[in-house]
Amino acid sequence: MADFNYAFISLVLLLPLALLIFLYLIVRPRSVKIPLKNRHVFITGGSSGIGLALAHQAASEGARVSILARSLKKLEEAKDAIGLSTGIDVAVFAADVRDYDAISKAVDEAGPIDVLVVNQGVFVPQELAEQDMDEVKFMLDVNLLGAFHMIKAALPTMKTRVDRRPASIALMSSQAGQVGVYGYTAYSASKFGLRGLAEALQQEVIGDNIHISLIFPPDTDTPGLVEEEKRRPELTNIIAAGGGRMKAELVAKKALNGIKSGSFIIPCNFEGALLSVATAGLSPQRSCLMAFLEVVTAGIIRIVGLCFQWVWYDSIQKWHAQKKRI
Ligand SMILES: NC(=O)C1=CN([C@@H]2O[C@H](COP(=O)(O)OP(=O)(O)OC[C@H]3O[C@@H](n4cnc5c(N)ncnc54)[C@H](OP(=O)(O)O)[C@@H]3O)[C@@H](O)[C@H]2O)C=CC1
Ligand SMILES: CCCCCCCCCCCCCCCC(=O)[C@@H](N)CO
């Protein structure tokens, strides 16, 4: 009996260790560090909110920073603010990501990019039945096709960069790009689309030492969110609240740390970490510790996910019942 207990305990301890070692050996791509100092970081949507916070922090870390957005006025304000606080002269480019020629011109002028952060995004929440197709197209064009334009324009010089150190392309998704959310049919589709783009692109550019990151913030205090909240459906508010809420500076900090450590998936808070484990799918995972967590919690995290669905569908049902009563 003692022998049996001993064997059992050793097995319980050895199995996880063996799994960890196995995962350490197989996780691909291998982990990588992306330096920022003295490198060219190009941020779209860098004049406001999360993008502006990213530009500030990248400049503070000694990067050469370029920002792109439509309004030159907002870009100049951002440039002045960053110049004042860091002493770094940020290059600004006024262009619409929907205009490929304008984007190509800006990228050519800016010079070879080491870290491209595709952060621009628009969000106009509404039930699809109520929403105009113009708004649906607007979100898909800016968020998804705009990302294609940026990457397509920047890739040639990124691939042929003389500095052979690891480079990065980071895409700003959203927790609504990991789970579909009421009121976000077009927005979620645009952000889920970024994931397909990112997974396929990582396979294509790994040979050029370019590493892709996908960032998944929850609701974040930005000028964009203030506008969004003026017209967000009640149910969107209720469901989005489950993801938590953050300051733009903290999202930018998590994002930059994730980019520097070459993480493919970058959650920003605890809820986001849960969501990322629950939606690991077939995305690359460079960290064997995270891979270990994903494997051992797979069953239980699915149960947690189903509980969330239960709560959400309950809210939807109650909301409909209440509407009928009025
Ligand atoms: N705030 C939030 O709750 C969350 C935001 N996100 C994502 O983070 C990103 C940034 O959001 P946030 O900081 O809130 O947004 P803001 O609305 O505060 O800023 C958006 C930025 O994108 C630029 N932009 C918008 N449209 C275009 C365009 N067509 N071409 C070029 N630039 C454009 C804006 O400048 P201009 O208008 O001058 O072009 C601005 O610089 C988005 O992708 C968003 O989806 C993800 C999760 C949560
Ligand atoms: C299994 C564990 C699950 C854990 C919690 C799941 C919570 C999901 C909530 C989704 C919130 C989506 C917010 C989008 C914010 C956004 O992108 C807009 N503000 C537009 O910018």
Side-chain angles (χ1 to χ4, degrees):
M1 191 65 190
D3 270 1
F4 173 77
N5 276 346
Y6 183 69
F8 183 73
I9 289 166
S10 327
L11 204 70
V12 166
L13 287 177
L14 279 179
L15 261 183
L17 193 66
L19 175 61
L20 194 61
I21 294 169
F22 172 70
L23 292 172
Y24 170 75
L25 292 173
I26 65 152
V27 292
R28 291 290 186 284
R30 290 215 183 273
S31 74
V32 69
K33 289 274 170 272
I34 318 258
L36 289 188
K37 204 171 160 50
N38 295 325
R39 302 193 85 205
H40 184 197
V41 179
F42 190 105
I43 304 165
T44 68
S47 62
S48 169
I50 300 173
L52 177 59
L54 276 166
H56 259 283
Q57 290 176 28
S60 311
E61 297 204 18
R64 176 162 85 82
V65 177
S66 299
I67 55 178
L68 177 145
R70 286 166 305 176
S71 151
L72 185 60
K73 186 170 167 282
K74 278 200 285 172
L75 284 165
E76 296 287 359
E77 284 166 11
K79 178 188 170 83
D80 291 346
I82 299 170
L84 263 181
S85 72
T86 64
I88 301 256
D89 188 25
V90 171
V92 300
F93 299 92
D96 190 319
V97 291
R98 289 170 293 177
D99 179 349
Y100 182 68
D101 293 339
I103 292 305
S104 297
K105 201 167 147 259
V107 166
D108 288 347
E109 267 175 46
I113 297 169
D114 298 303
V115 176
L116 171 65
V117 186
V118 181
N119 160 81
Q120 89 287 338
V122 287
F123 26 92
V124 215
Q126 196 168 25
E127 293 84 351
L128 180 58
E130 262 67 65
Q131 192 155 43
D132 285 345
M133 274 313 288
D134 284 350
E135 282 181 355
V136 170
K137 288 205 180 103
F138 176 55
M139 281 183 268
L140 290 169
D141 279 349
V142 174
N143 301 359
L144 186 54
L145 278 173
F148 273 94
H149 286 165
M150 274 316 304
I151 295 168
K152 184 80 182 136
L155 255 188
T157 54
M158 287 187 83
K159 275 168 167 273
T160 54
R161 69 194 182 282
V162 255
D163 166 5
R164 294 310 298 164
R165 285 185 292 170
S168 165
I169 298 175
L171 302 169
M172 192 58 68
S173 181
S174 157
Q175 286 183 356
Q178 294 176 299
V179 56
V181 175
Y182 184 105
Y184 278 156
T185 51
Y187 181 69
S188 278
S190 73
K191 296 298 189 180
F192 268 77
L194 291 181
R195 186 168 187 150
L197 157 61
E199 289 189 1
L201 184 67
Q202 180 62 90
Q203 296 183 1
E204 294 181 7
V205 299
I206 190 78
D208 301 295
N209 204 8
I210 300 175
H211 307 277
I212 313 289
S213 290
L214 271 168
I215 306 148
F216 295 101
D219 269 345
T220 305
D221 291 323
T222 66
L225 184 66
V226 172
E227 284 311 304
E228 180 189 14
E229 286 193 313
K230 290 182 186 160
R231 60 174 285 184
R232 201 150 76 155
E234 182 59 23
L235 278 171
T236 311
N237 282 331
I238 294 171
I239 295 171
R245 189 170 181 126
M246 292 174 74
K247 297 263 172 257
E249 289 68 29
L250 188 55
V251 168
K253 186 162 182 263
K254 299 275 178 193
L256 268 194
N257 284 341
I259 292 170
K260 285 192 286 184
S261 63
S263 307
F264 185 80
I265 299 284
I266 308 179
C268 298
N269 60 358
F270 176 72
E271 295 87 334
L274 276 185
L275 196 51
S276 297
V277 175
T279 59
L282 254 77
S283 282
Q285 176 56 270
R286 294 165 182 268
S287 150
C288 63
L289 277 177
M290 280 310 296
F292 180 80
L293 252 177
E294 286 166 3
V295 173
V296 299
T297 64
I300 190 78
I301 201 107
R302 178 65 178 142
I303 295 180
V304 176
L306 291 169
C307 291
F308 268 90
Q309 291 293 348
W310 172 55
V311 171
W312 292 336
Y313 279 90
D314 193 52
S315 308
I316 294 167
Q317 199 187 346
K318 287 202 178 106
W319 187 81
H320 282 298
Q322 191 194 357
K323 220 174 61 172
K324 254 187 220 144
R325 258 186 275 123
I326 295 170

